[in-house]
Amino acid sequence: MGLKSDASGVNEFGYRVFKLGGFTFRRDEYFTHIDWPGGGHIMPADKFLKALIRDVAWNFFYGTVNFDEVFGTVNHYGTVEVFAGLFNAGYRASNKHHVESFDTNLARTTFEEMLEDWTIEGFDPFAAPEETGTAFGRKHGGNSRAVKRTRVVAKRMAGMQGDTPLRSDASGFPVNRHFSDVNQDEPEVHTEEGFEGEVHAFNLFAYLSRSDVTWNPSVCAVVKDSLLCPTTEEFTLPVIHGNDRVEWFVQLSDEIHWEIADRETGAPRARAVMKAGDVSAMPADIRHQGFSPKRAMLLVWENGNPKLPEMYATKQLKPNPVDF
Ligand code: PHB
Ligand code: FE
């Protein structure tokens, strides 16, 4: 039996069917089915929802968000391309790729509704696999606490007076099981007269040890275009990110394995095993996916300059920031 939908757009598994331009999105007990004129694709539902929640929360992020080797989005900052096979050498070689461009708000709203309808009770797409229930089964309940969670964005710096508060047990953020050894002492701040409210410090390790999500960078400090985005990582980065600018990683604790491939074709380029203290600059012409055997702390350093994609595309900038 196929995945039929009734007049109200709900299929026999209880899930809504969504359309975005020529794309149709359906889910059953195990899978997401994506169809477009001339093709179709199938993905495990948990994998799809974990990529979807990040694409929505990051407002399509920088550059390309590959949900897997076939389906994904490209951010053009105001419009977004939804594609199948665009960055897949096989699809491209046989001219089977399909791309449609949408107003960002329309694409995001559709994805948000899909995320909300398809996330069932007990499943948290931002959580590590050991810390969430299953994504599988017929439609039952929902998890709006998980899907409506907003990313922490500090106005000046987390913990600064009037800015986003630091996490503590009282606010419902206990220390994660993998970070029970992380020192929780806060630094003493002695401010020179006249600078009260302008000087601040906090224990970033303690802060991160209480993060309840994985693979979701929080914008923690902003100086002009310099965005410091620390995050906690466990298991697999649920998207394969195609960069449109250089991105720096500072490994703050533990270990993450990165698989790095050509952004356009997916041809493998490098492996990087990053251990605490390691720093890397991911070039502007790659795609990468991280694998974290144990919850780890990572500082993602992004350059938010909106001119960068054009500067790389027109070769005014080299894709790698450093020559050794
Ligand atoms: C990335 O694609 O560079 C990325 C995304 C999410 C993370 C870390 C890195 O948590
Ligand atoms: Fe990236």
Side-chain angles (χ1 to χ4, degrees), residues 127-258:
E130 279 209 315
E131 298 184 336
T132 178
T134 179
F136 300 128
R138 297 175 65 88
K139 171 77 178 166
H140 61 95
N143 193 351
S144 60
R145 198 196 67 79
V147 299
K148 299 270 183 202
R149 182 198 272 127
T150 49
R151 191 155 53 137
V152 177
V153 180
K155 291 188 230 37
R156 298 169 69 193
M157 179 180 172
M160 202 98 182
Q161 218 170 32
D163 211 317
T164 179
L166 289 174
R167 295 167 170 152
S168 69
D169 271 331
S171 63
F173 291 99
V175 175
N176 185 270
R177 74 199 192 293
H178 282 170
F179 291 142
S180 55
D181 57 343
V182 173
N183 185 307
Q184 297 291 314
D185 294 346
E186 289 297 330
E188 286 178 28
V189 181
H190 303 275
T191 308
E192 195 79 28
E193 229 181 89
F195 293 93
E196 296 86 353
E198 290 179 42
V199 182
H200 177 60
F202 69 94
N203 180 346
L204 179 65
F205 287 82
Y207 180 78
L208 288 175
S209 72
R210 297 167 183 279
S211 167
D212 65 340
V213 294
T214 59
W215 303 104
N216 189 31
S218 303
V219 183
C220 204
V222 180
V223 179
K224 297 189 179 156
D225 285 324
S226 164
L227 313 181
L228 289 181
C229 311
T231 161
T232 55
E233 322 295 45
E234 184 177 330
F235 193 54
T236 308
L237 171 57
V239 307
I240 308 165
H241 178 221
N243 282 4
D244 66 5
R245 64 199 66 214
V246 168
E247 183 182 24
W248 291 79
F249 291 151
V250 181
Q251 187 73 36
L252 298 180
S253 83
D254 304 283
E255 182 175 302
I256 297 178
H257 299 235
W258 289 93

Side-chain angles (χ1 to χ4, degrees), residues 37 61 75 81 104 117 124-125 149 159 168 199 214 235 247 285 321:
F61 207 31
N75 196 352
E81 285 177 335
T104 297
D117 189 73
D124 181 349
R149 182 198 272 127
S168 69
V199 182
T214 59
F235 193 54
E247 183 182 24
D285 59 355

